[in-house]
């Protein structure tokens, strides 16, 4: 069982999930728990010989009913694939899976915030290489979405809508657009190659997106992750954070957008969260967002 404690000094919850110390750590290729179960071989987490997308409860959950949820979303049965290598149809299907999980988890009494995310690469602590993401159903509103709602209050409207308008009229950090979304490096990005993928029509969550918008979201997502891999000609590690409207008591609308935080500042050098970031909460950047946007646009141009 995990345990929640409230950190008074910071005004935030901390979750302890001590059983996670025992979780599978970078198993060798033959013992991947997210592979399909092959006849004659020991069963994996997934009792199917082949599959497209599978969602199941995390065996080592940070949150579990009746106080939240933790799920694993496996993108493919191909161990050696990655999100950027998937066909558009699969990524489109993934958008529908996300939408369904948001709806179902969001309807639960014990879930205040549905958070879909992916950690990619050992640099951000991945313990299984098989392409997958995760979903946490937090039994409280976590600090980052709470800050976004506070920004709406401060600015007197929807912050992503407002920032989108600013980025589009400025244009220097804009990366690409399609009929449903825009991708840009935020003016005050915290990570060197941080990118936000934002729905242009105001959509509080995936539930407000129609089929065409989900398709366009999948296209934009693929374009971004493929461009990311072209940036340093290597699979780029990142954290992908999907922000949507809270599903619990918290009021305020929220606006569907994806934030990507790659931890690299060059092909080989990591951006560490050190004294200023950890102890004072102020990020010190090495790359100006305008320069990052130029490099990313060039990388996108190299993707056929
Ligand atoms: Zn695998
Ligand atoms: Zn909005
Ligand atoms: Zn956000």
């Amino acid at each position: 069982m995990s345990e929640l404690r409230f950190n008074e000094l910071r005004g935030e919850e901390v979750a302890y999930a001590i059983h996670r110390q025992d979780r599978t750590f970078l198993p060798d290729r033959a013992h991947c728990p997210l592979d399909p179960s092959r006849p004659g071989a020991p069963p994996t987490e997934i009792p199917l010989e082949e599959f497209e997308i599978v969602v199941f409860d995390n065996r080592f959950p940070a949150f579990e009913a009746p106080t939240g949820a933790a799920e694993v979303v496996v993108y493919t049965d191909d161990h050696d694939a990655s999100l950027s290598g998937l066909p558009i149809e699969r990524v489109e299907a993934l958008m529908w899976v996300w939408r369904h999980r948001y709806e179902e988890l969001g309807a639960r009494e014990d879930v205040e915030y549905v958070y879909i995310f992916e950690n990619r690469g050992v640099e951000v602590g991945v313990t299984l290489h098989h392409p997958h993401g995760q979903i946490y159903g937090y039994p409280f509103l976590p600090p980052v979405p709470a800050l976004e709602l506070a920004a709406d209050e401060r600015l007197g409207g929807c912050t992503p809508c407002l920032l989108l308008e600013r980025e589009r009229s400025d244009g220097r950090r804009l990366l690409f657009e399609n009929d449903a979304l825009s991708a840009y490096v935020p003016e005050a990005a915290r990570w060197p190659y941080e990118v936000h993928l934002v729905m242009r029509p105001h959509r509080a969550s995936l539930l407000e997106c129609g089929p065409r918008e989900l398709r366009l979201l999948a296209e934009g997502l693929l374009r971004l992750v493929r461009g990311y891999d072209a940036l340093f000609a290597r699979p780029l590690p990142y954290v992908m954070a999907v922000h949507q409207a809270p599903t619990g008591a918290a009021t305020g609308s929220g606006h569907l957008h994806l934030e990507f935080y790659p931890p690299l500042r060059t092909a080989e050098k990591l951006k560490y969260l050190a004294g200023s970031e950890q102890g004072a909460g102020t990020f010190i950047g090495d790359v100006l967002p305008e320069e990052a946007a130029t490099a990313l646009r060039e990388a996108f141009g190299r993707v056929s």
Side-chain angles (χ1 to χ4, degrees):
M1 281 300 282
S2 56
E3 181 185 335
L4 272 185
R5 292 188 188 177
F6 191 71
N7 181 317
E8 290 288 358
L9 197 54
R10 295 190 56 108
E12 65 192 24
E13 300 282 356
V14 179
Y16 297 88
I18 47 178
H19 50 274
R20 282 170 59 83
Q21 288 288 30
D22 305 324
R23 72 190 191 274
T24 320
F25 181 78
L26 294 174
D28 63 57
R29 178 70 190 78
H31 296 93
C32 173
L34 305 185
D35 270 7
S37 290
R38 316 272 184 207
T44 68
E45 294 281 309
I46 302 166
L48 299 165
E49 284 185 38
E50 53 183 66
F51 61 84
E52 293 191 349
I53 298 172
V54 167
V55 181
F56 58 89
D57 285 329
N58 197 320
R59 259 183 66 209
F60 304 95
F63 303 99
E64 60 190 320
T67 48
E71 298 182 338
V72 177
V73 184
V74 185
Y75 301 157
T76 166
D77 60 9
D78 179 359
H79 180 90
D80 299 308
S82 74
L83 183 59
S84 57
L86 296 178
I88 178 68
E89 292 73 23
R90 181 66 58 87
V91 181
E92 186 180 9
L94 181 63
M95 299 302 102
W96 284 96
V97 169
W98 284 0
R99 186 184 195 274
H100 179 253
R101 298 319 302 149
Y102 178 84
E103 182 171 33
E104 200 164 286
L105 291 173
R108 271 170 50 173
E109 286 288 316
D110 61 332
V111 172
E112 295 284 308
Y113 191 81
V114 179
Y115 176 49
I116 299 165
F117 64 101
E118 180 186 340
N119 300 325
R120 186 203 199 193
V122 289
E123 294 86 349
V124 295
V126 158
T127 51
L128 299 172
H129 283 307
H130 198 114
H132 72 286
Q134 300 182 66
I135 304 176
Y136 279 2
Y138 290 90
F140 53 85
L141 183 68
V144 171
L147 283 171
E148 294 194 347
L149 294 188
D152 290 356
E153 290 243 320
R154 193 173 69 243
L155 297 169
C158 175
T159 308
C161 278
L162 183 85
L163 294 178
L164 199 53
E165 201 180 296
R166 279 193 203 163
E167 291 295 348
R168 295 188 84 207
S169 64
D170 182 307
R172 284 176 298 162
R173 292 169 299 274
L174 207 57
L175 301 175
F176 63 83
E177 300 194 307
N178 64 26
D179 282 349
L181 55 82
S182 301
Y184 59 82
V185 180
E187 182 185 12
R190 304 165 101 211
W191 298 90
Y193 294 95
E194 179 173 337
V195 172
H196 293 191
L197 206 59
V198 187
M199 293 301 289
R200 222 162 38 246
H202 178 85
R203 299 287 180 257
S205 73
L206 290 157
L207 284 181
E208 292 185 359
C209 297
R212 183 164 180 274
E213 287 175 343
L214 292 178
R215 168 82 181 191
L216 288 164
L217 179 58
E219 280 177 20
L221 174 54
L222 255 188
R223 188 162 170 196
L224 175 59
V225 291
R226 286 176 181 170
Y228 261 162
D229 285 355
L231 178 65
F232 297 130
R234 56 165 287 189
L236 194 77
Y238 59 70
V239 169
M240 174 186 72
V242 181
H243 287 152
Q244 307 185 71
T247 57
T251 54
S253 63
H255 178 138
L256 170 61
H257 62 280
L258 279 58
E259 302 190 10
F260 284 80
Y261 319 132
L264 293 183
R265 51 193 178 89
T266 70
E268 307 296 337
K269 291 196 181 96
L270 279 170
K271 158 76 185 165
Y272 287 101
L273 300 192
S276 185
E277 290 84 1
Q278 294 193 47
T282 297
F283 272 65
I284 310 292
D286 309 286
V287 181
L288 268 181
E290 293 74 33
E291 294 164 5
T294 302
L296 283 166
R297 279 192 297 260
E298 285 168 10
F300 292 146
R302 291 195 292 273
V303 181
S304 52

